[in-house]
Amino acid sequence: MNDVMSIINLSDPEDRIKEMTMTRTTASLPILGRYRVIDFMLSNITNSGIKNVSIYTYGKTRSLTQHLGSGKHWGLDRKRDGLYLFHPDRVFENNMPIRGDLENFINHLDYLKYSSQKYVVMSRSYMICNIDLRPVVEAHKKNGADMTVVYKSLENNVGRFMGCDTLKVDNNQNVISMGKSMGKERYYNISLEMYVMEREKLIEIIEKSVQHGDANFLKEAIINRMGELKVKGYPFKGYLSCVNSIENYYNTNKDLLSIANANDLFGRNGKIY
């Protein structure tokens, strides 16, 4: 995984969990009193052998910055590569409209351009799971895809993933379209919002979106260009929860009273730090 870097994008939607994120980001909400939401994705990344990790922040980040420190808990306090935090230049709510996360990426584009890794794994913080990213990257390379999206096939459990991205995938794991869960389907594929692509392709998408002015958010920019890309899906089989509402935050903590769920989340592919 020496040729892979990782980005955690924290511009998570907070309209359904607003009361809990008035003074902090979703990423720094506590889980089981000991962990924070972001610990799971950070542990997935470092357990997979990725050493160059960047976090693009959004909103109030004091508690998050204090929690992350130098990144030593995940082995990211390194002289080469390691943990990087990129803050948006401006985020206002009253007098000025909040701009999307794409501005944060374009303002720190030098980091992407000067990184030495060929591939990048992008993710959010609020998808709680324990996943080994190595086979995902290998499948991406083998398929010759422009982008690979990790998803989980689910049945009936619609309410837990309301508002999450969904994928339509054919028998060859080609992603045909991307939508939103509205709670109307019995079977659906929930996107973990984990994407693998070449670093140069990501830079190209960012620059084109800014040049054309057709997107404010990175995910929006990617979706706008899905018709131009060969997009593959990668199925995930383990425990998954999404902390995108107060109810789901409660249910995630409640889920872990189950020994089976706890063993899957905390030991499936490595420890959570």
Side-chain angles (χ1 to χ4, degrees):
M1 296 288 275
N2 290 331
D3 61 345
V4 183
M5 61 187 293
S6 183
I7 291 173
I8 303 178
N9 184 5
L10 299 189
S11 62
D12 303 327
E14 296 180 345
D15 53 310
R16 298 174 62 206
I17 197 169
K18 189 176 295 185
E19 291 82 357
M20 299 187 68
T21 55
M22 291 179 67
T23 59
R24 65 177 69 226
T25 64
T26 301
S28 60
L29 289 174
I31 299 288
L32 295 181
R34 175 175 180 173
Y35 302 91
R36 304 295 181 100
V37 167
I38 199 171
D39 293 350
F40 297 91
M41 196 60 226
L42 268 177
S43 298
N44 291 334
I45 290 167
T46 54
N47 286 338
S48 300
I50 299 174
K51 306 299 183 184
N52 183 2
V53 182
S54 60
I55 299 175
Y56 286 74
T57 68
Y58 204 71
K60 298 179 175 67
T61 58
R62 182 196 58 79
S63 63
L64 175 69
T65 304
Q66 184 178 16
H67 174 69
L68 293 173
S70 63
K72 68 178 181 179
H73 297 294
W74 303 273
L76 293 173
D77 52 339
R78 304 164 54 87
K79 290 185 177 179
R80 184 175 181 180
D81 291 330
L83 181 66
Y84 299 87
L85 267 69
F86 297 116
H87 304 288
D89 287 346
R90 49 187 175 181
V91 177
F92 303 98
E93 293 185 353
N94 297 321
N95 298 328
M96 293 284 290
I98 298 178
R99 296 199 177 189
D101 59 29
L102 200 59
E103 184 176 19
N104 199 9
F105 281 93
I106 197 67
N107 287 342
H108 299 102
L109 199 59
D110 285 352
Y111 163 74
L112 282 173
K113 288 185 174 180
Y114 294 136
S115 292
S116 60
Q117 290 79 11
K118 183 177 181 179
Y119 299 94
V120 55
V121 176
M122 293 179 290
S123 63
R124 300 284 192 166
S125 69
Y126 63 175
M127 289 292 186
I128 306 295
C129 65
N130 190 325
I131 182 172
D132 186 353
L133 295 168
R134 286 170 290 195
V136 183
V137 174
E138 287 304 313
H140 175 78
K141 295 177 181 178
K142 183 179 179 180
N143 292 328
D146 293 314
M147 182 171 71
T148 298
V149 187
V150 184
Y151 71 92
K152 181 176 175 66
S153 297
L154 293 168
E155 178 182 0
N156 292 329
N157 200 5
V158 175
R160 291 289 296 272
F161 295 94
M162 283 286 291
C164 292
D165 291 348
T166 59
L167 303 179
K168 186 176 181 180
V169 183
D170 67 15
N171 294 332
N172 295 317
Q173 297 297 331
N174 294 306
V175 177
I176 300 171
S177 62
M178 184 180 296
K180 288 280 186 185
S181 172
M182 302 298 292
K184 303 296 184 182
E185 302 287 339
R186 181 176 179 184
Y187 301 97
Y188 52 103
N189 299 316
I190 288 294
S191 169
L192 274 65
E193 296 195 49
M194 296 180 192
Y195 313 98
V196 182
M197 67 172 59
E198 288 191 8
R199 178 175 55 87
E200 292 294 338
K201 177 61 69 175
L202 175 60
I203 293 172
E204 177 187 329
I205 289 174
I206 292 172
E207 290 182 333
K208 279 187 176 180
S209 296
V210 172
Q211 180 178 338
H212 297 160
D214 58 6
N216 289 320
F217 290 87
L218 180 59
K219 184 169 72 172
E220 181 186 4
I222 292 172
I223 292 174
N224 286 346
R225 282 155 182 82
M226 282 189 65
E228 308 168 11
L229 306 175
K230 179 183 178 181
V231 184
K232 287 283 189 175
Y234 183 92
F236 172 68
K237 304 296 185 182
Y239 170 84
L240 175 68
S241 185
C242 178
V243 181
N244 65 347
S245 69
I246 294 175
E247 182 181 7
N248 283 346
Y249 175 75
Y250 168 77
N251 286 328
T252 300
N253 284 274
K254 182 181 174 183
D255 282 349
L256 299 177
L257 295 174
S258 161
I259 297 298
N261 287 339
N263 286 341
D264 188 293
L265 185 58
F266 290 99
R268 181 181 180 90
N269 293 299
K271 295 181 179 179
I272 303 299
Y273 300 99

